[in-house]
Amino acid sequence: MPAGPRARDRTDLKAQGPRPPWGRGWRAERAGGGGLDRRLIYQVMQTGTRSVSIFGLGYVGSVMAACLAHKSNRVIGVDVNPTKVAMLNSGRSPILEKRMDQLVAEGHQACRLHATTDAGAAIHESDISFVCVGTPSQRNGKLDLSHIEHVCGEIGRGLGRKDAYHWVVLRSTLLPGTTDAVAVPILEAASGKRAGADFAVCYNPEFMREGNAVTDFFQPPFTILGSRHTQDVAALRELYAWVPGRTFETSVPVAEMVKYVSNAYHALKVSFANEVGTICKQLGVDTESVMEIFTSDTKLNISDAYLTPGFAFGGSCLPKDLRALGYRARELDLRLPVIEAILLSNQEHVERAVEAVLQAGKRRVGMLGLSFKAGTDDLRESPQVQLIKRLLGEGCQIRIWDRDVSMGRLIGSNRQFIEEVIPHIGSLLAPTLEEVVKEAEVVIVGTISIDKGALASVLHPDQFVMDLVNLRKSHRTEGLPFCKGICW
Ligand SMILES: NC(=O)c1ccc[n+]([C@@H]2O[C@H](COP(=O)([O-])OP(=O)(O)OC[C@H]3O[C@@H](n4cnc5c(N)ncnc54)[C@H](O)[C@@H]3O)[C@@H](O)[C@H]2O)c1
């Protein structure tokens, strides 16, 4: 176990030799299943390598307890439900899950796995506590944090009675900011101690899938260690040293949010696949073949392509093809809300950009980039064109520069589109970036085809710079007074 900020105060069970826990504030044993077997806990303390308490013996906590015990840690499960505690203490799994019966029995026999209803005792006899209690929905969808609040109070009181440094690691799914705004104040108030100084608080989301939970625990897609102070994760790094795959050490809110983004994306994929299947079936197209071929593309389809928050999509294909698919679905009397919502979401994103410009309270706008993406002069369904049209309607004065767009060169459907949508756009185009930026109060970066030096040399500090396209870091202009995007 690496040294924590108060390492000198820590009680190292191995170094000092285990002490029998009974007689030091352990709660009276309950008759029946939920009680403590003090002698067994004592054995647990003596045999393992690290001591971990796990609060909440549901699907997440039980699996974690059994798997960490399998990895030679001393594990104390804690639950308010005495039946679950009794099951674990008799070597039976509290949940139905592949391999769990075997792992729990193995942990029990090796005296590495035990459970209790006594939170204070578990805190006293462990170094790291994981919080795996439920975070269900309230009727209105709001996250119900009552179990988190209750367990943090219990853990806090345990910390108040403990001299040694301790790690509290939240693993329940929590909205960003919850650890800092809810868990930490309760832990501090109940313990009378300070997070960061007297104990560490980390966030470590769980990515297991029920039905495959044990395998996922041993081989997670990645490990995310969110901490408030980087030194806090040392203990987790060591605990998870055997875990394959990438480990990300990040802030607590990022770790909290990755869990929600992952679940939202998984849900989106399920719904998307089901809608694809629905329209395929109605069209008499073999869904399985479609999805097999679709998922085999790991360059554009199953990849990080198109997953960078930036500006809206456009061009001659995506909007048109989504409209055609939506129209065909309606012809078939099918409702495909996910696919239908994509264009609405895209339009909303353009509106966010309009709002951001208007909120700046300035009307002279310089637009850098006009085509739907860099390296082309295709203006068809360009969201940059839509944005300009909306801003002109709001009374903004606009000058535009795009290295790749010259009105004289536009031909065919490209020219036709612009003549129909915004025929006088040519009069707004300027030949150089400098000319556009110099006169603007608001500069909108709508293309990645920008010479960073050229932009920096003409920008002045009182300009509002909005980077829609999320220029990669290397392209970002340093020292700008104000430069932000609408979704990054
Ligand atoms: N189930 C999953 O597949 C899964 C996967 C990843 C993340 N999560 C998240 O993990 C968390 C736990 O999920 P779960 O499915 O294991 O929940 P669960 O309802 O199965 O288990 C929660 C357990 O916590 C216990 N508990 C409640 N208050 C307690 C307290 N004060 N002290 C000790 N124990 C207490 C309950 O008795 C229960 O046994 C949730 O936030 C969930 O969103 C779940």
Side-chain angles (χ1 to χ4, degrees):
M1 185 68 58
R6 292 256 316 258
R8 65 183 185 282
D9 294 340
R10 290 186 58 242
T11 306
D12 187 322
L13 289 168
K14 260 193 354 192
Q16 296 186 3
R19 295 158 304 163
W22 47 88
R24 287 190 289 132
W26 288 75
R27 281 185 196 160
E29 285 183 34
R30 289 185 200 196
L36 296 168
D37 180 339
R38 299 173 191 170
R39 269 159 234 287
L40 185 53
I41 291 183
Y42 182 56
Q43 271 179 297
V44 168
M45 295 301 109
Q46 284 183 307
T47 48
T49 53
R50 239 172 259 122
S51 188
V52 176
S53 53
I54 294 176
F55 286 74
L57 294 174
Y59 287 87
V60 169
S62 299
V63 170
M64 185 176 206
C67 292
L68 285 183
H70 178 76
K71 287 288 175 186
S72 299
N73 299 287
R74 300 171 300 213
V75 180
I76 309 167
V78 188
D79 206 292
V80 289
N81 183 334
T83 308
K84 293 191 178 189
V85 167
M87 287 182 80
L88 213 70
N89 280 337
S90 60
R92 288 176 298 145
S93 170
I95 59 156
L96 180 72
E97 184 65 49
K98 230 182 325 184
R99 286 182 65 193
M100 273 295 282
D101 287 341
Q102 173 220 328
L103 287 178
V104 172
E106 172 198 295
H108 176 70
Q109 272 160 24
C111 290
R112 283 197 297 265
L113 181 59
H114 182 67
T116 177
T117 52
D118 189 333
I123 291 289
H124 196 271
E125 298 304 335
S126 60
D127 302 307
I128 309 177
S129 295
F130 285 91
V131 174
C132 304
V133 299
T135 49
S137 283
Q138 293 180 4
R139 279 174 74 90
N140 59 4
K142 189 180 175 189
L143 200 59
D144 177 355
L145 293 175
S146 56
H147 301 298
I148 290 287
E149 288 163 358
H150 184 248
V151 82
C152 286
E154 296 246 285
I155 293 173
R157 281 185 285 282
L159 293 176
R161 292 195 295 269
K162 182 178 180 179
D163 293 331
Y165 197 80
H166 197 90
W167 282 260
V168 180
V169 185
L170 290 115
R171 199 152 165 85
S172 302
T173 301
L174 300 175
L175 284 167
T178 310
T179 298
D180 285 346
V182 178
V184 169
I186 296 174
L187 289 165
E188 288 185 331
S191 63
K193 293 182 169 182
R194 273 198 319 117
D198 305 313
F199 61 92
V201 178
C202 300
Y203 185 75
N204 169 223
E206 167 63 77
F207 291 96
M208 67 166 218
R209 294 161 296 173
E210 283 179 31
N212 209 44
V214 170
T215 306
D216 283 349
F217 187 88
F218 288 132
Q219 287 164 333
F222 44 39
T223 301
I224 303 181
L225 308 178
S227 68
R228 308 168 86 233
H229 310 283
T230 45
Q231 70 268 23
D232 290 347
V233 291
L236 293 177
R237 220 180 278 142
E238 194 199 337
L239 184 73
Y240 288 136
W242 52 269
V243 177
R246 285 183 74 180
T247 294
F248 293 89
E249 295 184 11
T250 183
S251 69
V252 169
V254 166
E256 290 171 323
M257 191 61 182
V258 171
K259 176 66 191 170
Y260 276 94
V261 173
S262 303
N263 275 0
Y265 191 54
H266 300 164
L268 174 69
K269 290 208 292 187
V270 171
S271 300
F272 180 77
N274 287 342
E275 288 194 4
V276 168
T278 302
I279 194 164
C280 283
K281 190 172 164 71
Q282 284 294 310
L283 291 170
V285 177
D286 178 0
T287 307
E288 282 172 16
S289 298
V290 168
M291 290 315 272
E292 192 185 328
I293 296 168
F294 169 80
T295 54
S296 73
D297 170 6
T298 53
K299 190 172 171 189
L300 299 182
N301 291 349
I302 312 301
S303 73
D304 61 3
Y306 304 108
L307 281 173
T308 305
F311 196 37
F313 63 79
S316 64
C317 296
L318 301 189
K320 155 182 96 65
D321 296 347
L322 278 162
R323 275 195 297 272
L325 204 55
Y327 190 88
R328 189 76 183 99
R330 286 194 298 279
E331 280 182 334
L332 295 165
D333 278 337
L334 297 175
R335 289 190 57 234
L336 305 180
V338 170
I339 289 174
E340 283 166 23
I342 297 171
L343 283 169
L344 289 175
S345 169
N346 203 45
Q347 186 55 40
E348 198 53 48
H349 204 56
V350 175
E351 284 305 309
R352 268 191 284 274
V354 173
E355 280 305 309
V357 173
L358 297 181
Q359 269 174 18
K362 296 174 177 171
R363 288 290 186 266
R364 277 208 315 277
V365 176
M367 178 82 192
L368 307 179
L370 185 61
S371 60
F372 83 101
K373 71 175 168 191
T376 172
D377 66 352
D378 197 346
L379 301 181
R380 289 173 296 171
E381 305 224 31
S382 159
Q384 285 82 344
V385 172
Q386 281 182 56
L387 174 62
I388 287 166
K389 200 173 167 189
R390 283 282 289 109
L391 290 175
L392 285 170
E394 296 288 343
C396 293
Q397 301 150 36
I398 305 205
R399 299 292 322 268
I400 306 160
W401 170 83
D402 188 318
R403 176 184 295 158
D404 301 313
V405 176
S406 149
M407 292 312 287
R409 276 208 322 258
L410 295 185
I411 51 172
S413 57
N414 197 9
R415 179 161 208 105
Q416 191 187 341
F417 171 82
I418 209 72
E419 278 170 358
E420 280 169 11
V421 174
I422 180 166
H424 63 295
I425 204 163
S427 64
L428 308 177
L429 275 171
T432 64
L433 175 146
E434 290 74 14
E435 207 171 304
V436 167
V437 173
K438 217 167 43 194
E439 296 167 10
E441 293 170 306
V442 177
V443 177
I444 301 175
V445 181
T447 177
I448 56 167
S449 287
I450 286 191
D451 182 319
K452 181 176 159 182
L455 179 58
S457 67
V458 278
L459 277 171
H460 45 90
D462 53 343
Q463 282 173 320
F464 176 91
V465 183
M466 204 166 78
D467 176 1
L468 291 180
V469 292
N470 198 351
L471 289 174
R472 276 164 297 158
K473 212 168 181 179
S474 60
H475 286 69
R476 274 187 199 144
T477 308
E478 302 300 331
L480 290 179
F482 187 41
C483 178
K484 65 171 193 172
I486 49 175
C487 62
W488 56 270

